[in-house]
Amino acid sequence: MANGGPVEHGYPHLETVRAAITALYRRLSYDTVQTFSTSVVPADVTFCDTDDLHLGAQRVAREIVRHFRLPDARLVVGFREMTHAANVELAAGPEYFVELNDRFRTHRRDIGAALAHEVMHVYLHRLDLSFPTTAENEILTDTATTYLGAGWLLLDAFREDRDSSQKLGYLTPEEFGYVLAKRALLFGEDPSVWFTSPQAYTAYVAGMTQARRDEQQPPLTAAGWVGRRRYAHDRRHAPGVQPSAAYAFTAEPGPGGHLRVSFPCPTCHQRIRVPVRGRVRARCGLCRTVLECDT
């Protein structure tokens, strides 16, 4: 939790974020991801200063548990002084103890954001889905929270001005915006109407720009002129030395082996491999996205 300190910006964790999206599709399946087409809405997690602190926190926790379809999970929420925003004890369940930073006693509108991250820890724990390191696991948790419909709360908790700052989660604001944009493009949802933080909206716009770039990389037909020209150059020299671009050429074994190109799916980032033979329509086997390619 950044509380008055510097906030990191940009996309330093982008590859891990993309790997997290792929891992979600592989573990949950396309059909399960589609069941999260509706996000948590503000009315379900609104927390007024006049609400009882503990009863209100329990109510918000129940709503987030319901959203993530963990009906048999019960969260017991408490508050104490700590460095991090929150912590959850990952036991066998069904009861889980969550501790929130004492700061939330007076910053109640952000309690939903902190709880969303901790409930996702429980969700991933039950799925037995994890990454090798603690840092990567936290990025996976933020990404999953956002992609499955509650992470806009984490981005909306980001506020920054000349004299102070606050940010929850391990992704940068722009990375939160990127995952939100990926979700918005998938489900046709506009989370920006829920933001109360101007800085959150700015980060979301930046993230959408980055997400759009994923859909405009060769060999996709939506690629721009510069990308297409570079792709044509790399294709002429293929397989040879692999370019620094996301796509890669390989030749099938044997004399006169046909050339194939692999590239990441712009939706789930699983790599797709298609023959190099001009216009090709490819369908991602993981997220079922149909892609128009010019190979």
Side-chain angles (χ1 to χ4, degrees):
M1 178 175 65
N3 179 14
V7 174
E8 186 177 24
H9 288 274
Y11 303 94
H13 315 108
L14 191 56
E15 290 310 308
T16 307
V17 167
R18 289 169 171 165
I21 293 174
T22 307
L24 273 180
Y25 274 97
R26 286 177 177 165
R27 187 67 182 85
L28 292 180
S29 80
Y30 164 84
D31 290 327
T32 302
V33 170
Q34 288 294 312
T35 66
F36 290 93
S37 59
T38 302
S39 288
V40 172
V41 295
D44 290 340
V45 292
T46 298
F47 202 127
C48 301
D49 290 338
T50 55
D51 290 346
D52 179 273
L53 177 64
H54 291 88
L55 291 178
Q58 293 294 155
R59 173 183 58 80
V60 173
R62 284 194 300 271
E63 287 296 334
I64 295 173
V65 165
R66 180 195 59 77
H67 174 77
F68 287 128
R69 295 163 179 79
L70 295 168
D72 60 333
R74 298 191 300 273
L75 265 64
V76 179
V77 183
F79 297 81
R80 72 172 176 88
E81 290 186 12
M82 57 197 302
T83 303
H84 298 293
N87 180 64
V88 62
E89 182 181 315
L90 292 175
E95 198 166 71
Y96 300 89
F97 293 90
V98 177
E99 294 176 313
L100 298 182
N101 192 299
D102 266 340
R103 172 183 173 82
F104 293 114
R105 291 178 182 272
T106 54
H107 292 74
R108 299 184 180 185
R109 69 173 178 171
D110 297 324
I111 284 178
L115 287 174
H117 180 93
E118 300 310 315
V119 173
M120 180 50 66
H121 271 303
V122 175
Y123 186 83
L124 295 175
H125 176 69
R126 290 190 172 190
L127 284 177
D128 194 26
L129 176 58
S130 63
F131 277 1
T133 69
T134 299
E136 290 172 327
N137 264 325
E138 294 295 354
I139 293 169
L140 168 64
T141 302
D142 276 344
T143 302
T145 305
T146 306
Y147 203 76
L148 298 183
W152 70 266
L153 291 163
L154 284 159
L155 180 54
D156 196 41
F158 167 55
R159 289 179 284 279
E160 187 176 39
D161 56 37
R162 188 177 62 182
D163 302 316
S164 63
S165 64
Q166 174 186 281
K167 187 187 78 70
L168 302 182
Y170 292 78
L171 300 184
T172 68
E174 293 77 16
E175 287 168 342
F176 272 121
Y178 171 78
V179 182
L180 269 178
K182 302 288 279 189
R183 174 183 169 80
L185 293 171
L186 178 66
F187 293 120
E189 185 179 69
D190 181 12
S192 65
V193 298
W194 301 323
F195 293 144
T196 61
S197 164
Q199 293 80 21
Y201 180 80
T202 300
Y204 174 67
V205 171
M208 179 61 80
T209 300
Q210 182 68 38
R212 290 287 190 190
R213 290 194 187 108
D214 291 347
E215 300 178 334
Q216 298 166 355
Q217 298 299 312
L220 300 175
T221 55
W225 180 81
V226 173
R228 295 298 314 164
R229 185 174 182 181
R230 178 184 177 184
Y231 178 85
H233 171 273
D234 293 334
R235 183 179 57 200
R236 285 195 300 271
H237 295 85
V241 178
Q242 296 301 322
S244 58
Y247 53 81
F249 295 99
T250 56
E252 294 180 351
H258 295 293
L259 199 63
R260 300 178 74 89
V261 62
S262 65
F263 60 95
C265 169
T267 299
C268 70
H269 299 285
Q270 175 175 260
R271 292 196 73 84
I272 297 170
R273 193 163 175 257
V274 297
V276 175
R277 62 183 186 199
R279 290 270 180 166
V280 174
R281 176 174 288 180
R283 186 172 185 263
C284 178
L286 189 59
C287 69
R288 304 185 187 178
T289 302
V290 177
L291 305 169
E292 298 290 341
C293 309
D294 186 354
T295 60

